Amino acid sequence: MPWMLTTTEVTMSSFSRALAGELYLFSHRRSIRIAHLAVFLLSCVLVVINLGLVTAAAELKGAELIEMSAYNFWPQWSAATHTCMYLVELLVVLQIAGALPHEVASAATRDPLSRRISRTSLIMARSTVAVLLPLTLFACALIGSALTAAWLFDAGDIIEGNQVLVSVADLGLDKALYKSMLHAVLPLITLSVIASACGAIFKRAVLSVGVCFVMVMSPTMFYSDFKEQLPYYFADFLPAFGPDSFLNQTAQFSAGDSTFFSVEYEEMAAIGWVSPLPYLAAAVLLSILFFRKRSL
Amino acid sequence: MVASNASPALEINQLGLRLGRKPVLHDVSLRVEPGSLYGLLGRNGAGKTTTMRAALGLKSFSTGSIKLFSCDVRQIHKMPQMLGVALDPPGLDDTLSVRQNLELAQIRGGITGGRSIDEVLELVGLTHRQHNYGSRLSHGQGRRAAVARALLGEPELLLLDEPLSGLDPQGVERMLALFQTLSQDEGKTVVLSSHHLREVQHICTHVGLIDDGHTLLEGETPELLATMPSHLEVRTSDPMSVAKLLTANHIADVAVEANVVTAVIDVEFNRERVLRQLLDANLPVSEFFVNASTLVDVFQHAVDAYDHRGDHV
């Protein structure tokens, strides 16, 4: 009989299909490609601008008055990456927090839900793939600034005349920088999942982005007044906007300011590894709870 | 051919739904048999789109039940059958091209067999626009792309909300032929909402009419059409004789106005026999035609009856 039902073989689970779809979106969206390109170019340009500033300052003040470390690869790499991360964090908020409300408004979320993908699977897949964006943007910033800094600056010890002023190996500058980059990962992941949760909770993209941005900025806004009273928060350790950014500390330290890389680093790093976790878990739960009830 | 003893492809019973505090659907009941081509009709704001969205689990409802192939809509993600859905708005991702939207749908649906992307693009006449981004499509092209996406793979049930809206006449014809092929030749169940009543009348085997959140009527299209009277109209220079002959043929409500004779006819009316009698009687007939009842009449009658009931306010 022509109308008899044929059972369609389901070879992939609801979540894995949703995940594959989100990965497709991640790899094919123009806006995401442009974001990566923008971050890469900015990281390169920042190093070039730094070289221009250092050179101009040397000509104005005299070369001997400029910190010799300014001509080194390590401080240039860390400083450019740190500055570039402001753009990365902004892009993460805009791209992730703004995407889902826009998709819901344009009814683009209805198709996956009619393809035997549950709401929970869809939002879990969305949160999972959202994690990729800050990491790949971070990688672009790191690679762009590293390539440009390696091209324009020397990565060896800081030498004046025949004398080694600063030994990179002795000071552990390279290791400190790698560590600070590693410590940026968890806050960035948490930011992306929170941005994803904001998209699931708020109907309007502007509200979702706004709330997420306030969450990112709140430690900076309240840092001076309430630092002692407030518990540690995921945004405290964001590489750019975080007041306790390890990348910022390392950048300052590698530029010769030893007060920024204190002995409390390890203690803070331990806090940095733990404090974003409750926010991460809460964001995932809230995403699922709100999206399950969302009218689509 | 529709099997009445099979479980319905879509069954909605006494559906009630609110948008915020405002009740939108009060009592919607529909039964769509497998293999039927079902036209969901109603005025603007009648509740057609809301009903379709509820039928896909996209809107939670307060009362009633919805089943797709006997599967509760709340478990829609567990049902083995594939659905093809094209709602209003089309819901294309405007950051992707048409082709990419279809690839995304294939990935999400785990579709490996059935109709390919090239086939569905060809079917809806959108091959030449496959690389256009969603944001660059016209209203009609967006509809076609949404229908193409719904056709991917081997969907057993197609839910199409206003699929003819914004299409040019050739596009409408193409879509109607496609829906008929899907239903008649391939046995797929197609549910479409539309304001194109004449087109719906020609292709739909079943029709449901919703108004103000209630199901006003539902049934097979020929049966619904038979409930409405058709009209015979004869233009002649001898209207009284023609009227006399029609009355003699047991035709009811014969009326004469100037040189036009009108009469209400039923399904038993044999136009060839009556015309032959008129000609055999040498009556001067310049025009003889039958205004058959249409879905427009059925729709208007049902809506008027509902509006005049007054108890729904």
Side-chain angles (χ1 to χ4, degrees), chain B residues 125-200:
Chain B
L126 212 58
T127 307
H128 65 299
R129 297 279 182 208
Q130 61 178 303
H131 298 299
N132 282 32
Y133 278 82
S135 53
R136 295 284 174 88
L137 296 177
S138 70
H139 183 63
Q141 287 166 344
R143 296 282 164 167
R144 287 171 193 240
V147 172
R149 186 172 62 183
L151 294 173
L152 281 171
E154 291 179 287
E156 293 299 330
L157 171 62
L158 287 155
L159 285 173
L160 311 170
D161 190 13
E162 300 286 351
L164 308 176
S165 168
L167 297 186
D168 52 46
Q170 289 92 340
V172 171
E173 288 302 315
R174 186 178 199 135
M175 285 292 175
L176 293 175
L178 174 62
F179 300 151
Q180 254 185 323
T181 304
L182 287 166
S183 172
Q184 289 177 2
D185 299 348
E186 299 182 22
K188 308 295 184 195
T189 312
V190 182
V191 179
L192 63 96
S193 71
S194 180
H195 292 113
H196 293 64
L197 296 184
R198 285 184 179 83
E199 287 82 355
V200 167

Side-chain angles (χ1 to χ4, degrees), chain B residues 36-272:
Chain B
S36 62
L37 211 169
Y38 191 103
L40 186 59
L41 311 176
R43 292 187 277 196
N44 290 330
K48 304 185 295 293
T49 300
T50 308
T51 303
M52 282 206 173
R53 287 171 68 184
L56 290 164
L58 299 170
K59 277 202 168 296
S60 53
F61 47 92
S62 44
T63 58
S65 66
I66 301 174
K67 288 182 178 176
L68 294 115
F69 296 109
S70 302
C71 174
D72 190 285
V73 71
R74 293 179 182 91
Q75 301 296 314
I76 191 171
H77 57 281
K78 292 182 182 170
M79 62 180 281
Q81 289 83 13
M82 274 178 61
L83 299 178
V85 176
L87 294 184
D88 183 25
L92 298 174
D93 193 310
D94 53 15
T95 63
L96 300 177
S97 69
V98 172
R99 191 174 189 87
Q100 287 173 331
N101 266 288
L102 298 181
E103 285 172 358
L104 177 63
Q106 273 189 327
I107 291 168
R108 283 171 162 169
I111 298 168
T112 50
R115 282 196 182 81
S116 68
I117 291 174
D118 290 326
E119 283 176 273
V120 295
L121 285 170
E122 181 63 32
L123 280 173
V124 302
L126 212 58
T127 307
H128 65 299
R129 297 279 182 208
Q130 61 178 303
H131 298 299
N132 282 32
Y133 278 82
S135 53
R136 295 284 174 88
L137 296 177
S138 70
H139 183 63
Q141 287 166 344
R143 296 282 164 167
R144 287 171 193 240
V147 172
R149 186 172 62 183
L151 294 173
L152 281 171
E154 291 179 287
E156 293 299 330
L157 171 62
L158 287 155
L159 285 173
L160 311 170
D161 190 13
E162 300 286 351
L164 308 176
S165 168
L167 297 186
D168 52 46
Q170 289 92 340
V172 171
E173 288 302 315
R174 186 178 199 135
M175 285 292 175
L176 293 175
L178 174 62
F179 300 151
Q180 254 185 323
T181 304
L182 287 166
S183 172
Q184 289 177 2
D185 299 348
E186 299 182 22
K188 308 295 184 195
T189 312
V190 182
V191 179
L192 63 96
S193 71
S194 180
H195 292 113
H196 293 64
L197 296 184
R198 285 184 179 83
E199 287 82 355
V200 167
Q201 178 182 332
H202 286 126
I203 65 161
C204 287
T205 57
H206 293 69
V207 165
L209 173 60
I210 297 177
D211 196 53
D212 194 26
H214 296 78
T215 304
L216 297 192
L217 53 87
E218 187 188 29
E220 291 189 28
T221 312
E223 285 179 6
L224 291 175
L225 289 172
T227 62
M228 294 301 296
S230 297
H231 293 88
L232 172 68
E233 200 172 305
V234 183
R235 192 173 291 269
T236 173
S237 55
D238 186 2
M240 298 314 293
S241 300
V242 170
K244 197 174 169 187
L245 189 145
L246 293 178
T247 308
N249 272 282
H250 309 293
I251 295 172
D253 294 331
V254 178
V256 177
E257 191 177 330
N259 58 349
V260 177
V261 181
T262 57
V264 176
I265 55 174
D266 57 24
V267 286
E268 305 290 319
F269 177 73
N270 186 330
R271 73 177 76 181
E272 285 81 14

Side-chain angles (χ1 to χ4, degrees), chain A residues 207-283:
Chain A
L207 194 60
S208 171
V209 169
V211 169
C212 192
F213 191 64
V214 167
M215 290 177 82
V216 169
M217 291 300 292
S218 55
T220 312
M221 291 190 288
F222 303 121
Y223 189 79
S224 54
D225 297 330
F226 302 104
K227 176 62 190 165
E228 297 305 319
Q229 288 88 345
L230 293 174
Y232 280 107
Y233 177 60
F234 83 96
D236 286 330
F237 302 102
L238 282 171
F241 284 106
D244 293 318
S245 159
F246 297 119
L247 191 61
N248 181 35
Q249 290 183 55
T250 315
Q252 300 284 358
F253 173 66
S254 61
D257 193 341
S258 58
T259 58
F260 280 90
F261 191 54
S262 66
V263 287
E264 294 168 351
Y265 183 92
E266 291 299 333
E267 194 183 318
M268 288 291 287
I271 295 169
W273 279 117
V274 176
S275 61
L277 292 175
Y279 298 96
L280 187 68

Side-chain angles (χ1 to χ4, degrees), chain A:
Chain A
M1 298 289 271
W3 45 265
M4 276 187 71
L5 305 180
T6 52
T7 305
T8 307
E9 191 74 23
V10 179
T11 52
M12 296 171 79
S13 74
S14 167
F15 175 73
S16 58
R17 282 185 286 114
L19 188 66
E22 293 303 314
L23 285 169
Y24 182 90
L25 278 173
F26 181 77
S27 57
H28 285 77
R29 274 195 167 142
R30 271 188 309 180
S31 56
I32 291 180
R33 290 181 190 172
I34 292 169
H36 283 86
L37 186 65
V39 168
F40 184 84
L41 290 177
L42 179 70
S43 63
C44 299
V45 167
L46 283 170
V47 178
V48 175
I49 289 173
N50 260 356
L51 176 67
L53 289 174
V54 170
T55 309
E59 282 179 13
L60 285 172
K61 293 181 179 176
E64 67 279 3
L65 294 176
I66 299 298
E67 285 282 344
M68 290 310 292
S69 60
Y71 289 102
N72 190 267
F73 166 82
W74 299 99
Q76 293 299 337
W77 184 30
S78 54
T81 306
H82 172 250
T83 310
C84 204
M85 290 311 287
Y86 283 101
L87 177 65
V88 170
E89 288 167 21
L90 283 174
L91 284 172
V92 167
V93 171
L94 288 170
Q95 291 273 346
I96 299 176
L100 193 57
H102 177 70
E103 285 174 44
V104 171
S106 66
T109 46
R110 291 176 188 170
D111 185 68
L113 297 177
S114 70
R115 298 192 182 278
R116 293 162 297 144
I117 289 176
S118 68
R119 290 179 181 226
T120 306
S121 294
L122 185 66
I123 201 69
M124 287 291 287
R126 175 60 58 108
S127 300
T128 306
V129 175
V131 163
L132 290 180
L133 184 65
L135 300 184
T136 51
L137 289 176
F138 187 24
C140 283
L142 285 174
I143 293 167
S145 54
L147 289 175
T148 320
W151 176 43
L152 297 174
F153 297 95
D154 181 21
D157 293 336
I158 297 164
I159 297 168
E160 190 174 12
N162 290 328
Q163 194 184 349
V164 175
L165 279 184
V166 179
S167 165
V168 170
D170 289 349
L171 208 60
L173 206 55
D174 48 352
K175 285 179 186 162
L177 192 51
Y178 295 140
K179 237 178 177 177
S180 69
M181 286 167 182
L182 190 65
H183 287 143
V185 169
L186 188 59
L188 283 173
I189 286 175
T190 310
L191 172 64
S192 64
V193 176
I194 285 176
S196 183
C198 285
I201 293 167
F202 298 104
K203 285 183 180 174
R204 289 184 177 276
V206 66
L207 194 60
S208 171
V209 169
V211 169
C212 192
F213 191 64
V214 167
M215 290 177 82
V216 169
M217 291 300 292
S218 55
T220 312
M221 291 190 288
F222 303 121
Y223 189 79
S224 54
D225 297 330
F226 302 104
K227 176 62 190 165
E228 297 305 319
Q229 288 88 345
L230 293 174
Y232 280 107
Y233 177 60
F234 83 96
D236 286 330
F237 302 102
L238 282 171
F241 284 106
D244 293 318
S245 159
F246 297 119
L247 191 61
N248 181 35
Q249 290 183 55
T250 315
Q252 300 284 358
F253 173 66
S254 61
D257 193 341
S258 58
T259 58
F260 280 90
F261 191 54
S262 66
V263 287
E264 294 168 351
Y265 183 92
E266 291 299 333
E267 194 183 318
M268 288 291 287
I271 295 169
W273 279 117
V274 176
S275 61
L277 292 175
Y279 298 96
L280 187 68
V284 172
L285 281 174
L286 286 173
S287 303
I288 295 169
L289 285 174
F290 275 85
F291 197 66
R292 279 169 69 96
K293 297 288 177 191
R294 189 88 174 261
S295 183
L296 301 171

